Amino acid sequence: MAQVSINSDLGEWGSSTDSGERARLLQSPCVDTAPKSEGEASPEGLSRGTTSTVGAIFIVVNACLGAGLLNFPAAFSSAGGVAAGVTLQMGMLVFIISGLVILAYCSQASNERTYQEVVWAVCGKLTGVLCEVTIAIYTFGTCIAFLIIIGDQQDKIIAVMAKEPEGGGSSPWYTDRKFTISLTAVLFILPLSIPREIGFQKYASFLSVVGTWYVTAIIIIKYIWPDKEMTPGDILTRPASWVAVFNAMPTICFGFQCHVSSVPVFNSMQRPKVKTWGGVVTAAMVIALAVYMGTGICGFLTFGAAVDPDVLLSYPSEDMAVAVARAFIILSVLTSYPILHFCGRAVVEGLWLRYQGMPVEEDVGREQRRRVLQTLVWFLLTLLLALFIPDIGKVISVIGGLAACFIFVFPGLCLIQAKLSEMEEVKPASWWALVSYGILLVTLGAFIFGQTTTNAIFVDLLA
């Protein structure tokens, strides 16, 4: 069967630092019913990319950093203070980096170029399809979170422009949160989401990256030189219980989740070697750790236990420096939503065509109609859910649990399956150690996912 991927021009796999890179890194796998056999593997000449080691570091950092940094101060509060938050973050970083290395190892062994293709080839059809469905749900949930973030930041900006006190009496209909989110989404997000390609997003990438660093800088500066009207709540120094520490795990997983895009980055390198890749992801995660720690520690110490799940909401509306940060976040989210939607739509398209048993090139005639319908359904559902789920913390908790699957569960399953496929009669000690480590990853990821899912389903019902 012909191996044709959605938007599979070879040029799309070259190195890039634009925001369209994140979409190309999440392309749907080949529309086929089985992974490529050894004879069908990509020619050796296609496996060598043009991305330098330094370039790969910055692509991974760019894929890792995002609007999730707004939730880290609340994560430190949930964990029980700075010491608990830093310890948890450092401990999880070991597993996060090892998962990235495992994915590179399995990509090299299976000769596959995307996350879901690696899972499909190493773990089989059932796990591969489950991986694709998880990616679709994750991108869908992240799009909901993005719309909530837009509403949160717009509320603060509109309060200043309308010169009305927050929460004070009735306000004009055109300042209503549901109206402003809907208007912004229809005018900006929907037109950007319909096109088949999103290469134009590269023009907004630079501002998005600058905005992320600007937000971190403002939070640190506001902690060093706080405004007089900002009074912190209780500064926790220890967690209320050992269980409370785990409440911060979904946010950390959401913030550091770049694993889905890591496999194509690895394959785009000039010398895609696992050892070199280990240095790349370690450097990238240290950079991301510095940003998240700076935001989390300073944001938490500024507001204490009173910090909002979205830390920017804790600052006064009239603060102009913070208002600029809000504008940067809105810009970042406006350009990131179409990218995440594009990724999710590509996976849904791949699942649909595989279910139909139809190669992409035979279904070009109906592609535009199906793409518009998929985009409208996706957009309307995420918009409706964002309007009626105003708490960003709940959404981050759920998609953080899904991120744990990408960080722990699927890499762990790949490692277990890769080692089990080795048919030596006498297994060295390292073999047993790696299999045990894979089991540990799967168990940890399943625990985080199970905990967040249970909280999302049962806690609210009981409340």
Side-chain angles (χ1 to χ4, degrees), residues 155-164 317-320:
D155 286 347
K156 289 283 189 175
I157 294 175
I158 290 174
V160 175
M161 295 178 63
K163 297 182 179 179
E164 295 180 355
S317 300
E318 297 78 12
D319 193 313
M320 290 306 300

Side-chain angles (χ1 to χ4, degrees), residues 81-121:
V82 173
V86 170
T87 302
L88 180 63
Q89 211 168 339
M90 295 292 289
M92 291 185 65
L93 201 66
V94 175
F95 298 105
I96 291 169
I97 293 174
S98 66
L100 290 165
V101 175
I102 290 168
L103 289 169
Y105 167 78
C106 292
S107 171
Q108 202 167 61
S110 63
N111 201 23
E112 299 290 356
R113 301 177 66 88
T114 68
Y115 188 100
Q116 51 267 52
E117 285 178 351
V118 169
V119 174
W120 183 285

Side-chain angles (χ1 to χ4, degrees), residues 235-461:
I235 305 296
L236 304 176
T237 57
R238 63 180 63 185
S241 66
W242 68 271
V243 178
V245 177
F246 297 106
N247 293 332
M249 279 187 166
T251 298
I252 295 174
C253 290
F254 178 63
F256 282 96
Q257 198 292 112
C258 58
H259 293 59
V260 176
S261 59
S262 68
V263 179
V265 176
F266 169 71
N267 285 287
S268 73
M269 293 178 63
Q270 295 171 350
R271 289 179 291 276
K273 297 180 180 179
V274 175
K275 184 177 181 180
T276 304
W277 177 248
V280 167
V281 296
T282 300
M285 292 302 101
V286 168
I287 294 173
L289 178 69
V291 174
Y292 286 137
M293 274 196 177
T295 304
I297 294 174
C298 294
F300 169 70
L301 292 179
T302 301
F303 299 104
V307 68
D308 196 276
D310 179 342
V311 66
L312 289 184
L313 299 185
S314 298
Y315 293 94
S317 300
E318 297 78 12
D319 193 313
M320 290 306 300
V322 177
V324 174
R326 294 191 180 105
F328 268 125
I329 288 295
I330 292 175
L331 175 62
S332 175
V333 169
L334 285 176
T335 57
S336 296
Y337 180 108
I339 294 171
L340 267 295
H341 161 260
F342 178 87
C343 302
R345 187 180 69 197
V347 171
V348 171
E349 178 82 347
L351 286 169
W352 171 255
L353 293 178
R354 184 183 292 116
Y355 174 77
Q356 295 290 319
M358 184 179 302
V360 177
E361 67 272 16
E362 295 181 11
D363 200 48
V364 173
R366 289 178 290 181
E367 184 277 333
Q368 182 177 2
R369 182 176 60 184
R370 191 170 58 250
R371 170 165 44 87
V372 172
L373 178 62
Q374 290 170 351
T375 300
L376 289 175
V377 171
W378 183 289
F379 173 79
L380 291 175
L381 285 177
T382 55
L383 178 59
L384 287 174
L385 289 172
L387 295 179
F388 293 100
I389 308 177
D391 187 354
I392 185 66
K394 296 178 181 178
V395 179
I396 293 297
S397 179
V398 174
I399 58 181
L402 291 173
C405 295
F406 302 129
I407 295 174
F408 304 109
V409 176
F410 291 119
L413 290 174
C414 286
L415 179 61
I416 294 170
Q417 191 60 41
K419 303 314 292 183
L420 290 178
S421 64
E422 297 178 357
M423 302 304 294
E424 296 90 353
E425 294 183 2
V426 179
K427 306 289 194 305
S430 61
W431 185 93
W432 296 105
L434 289 172
V435 171
S436 300
Y437 187 74
I439 295 173
L440 175 62
L441 285 177
V442 173
T443 304
L444 180 59
F447 169 77
I448 298 173
F449 176 74
Q451 181 196 34
T452 55
T453 304
T454 301
N455 289 340
I457 295 176
F458 294 108
V459 172
D460 288 341
L461 291 177

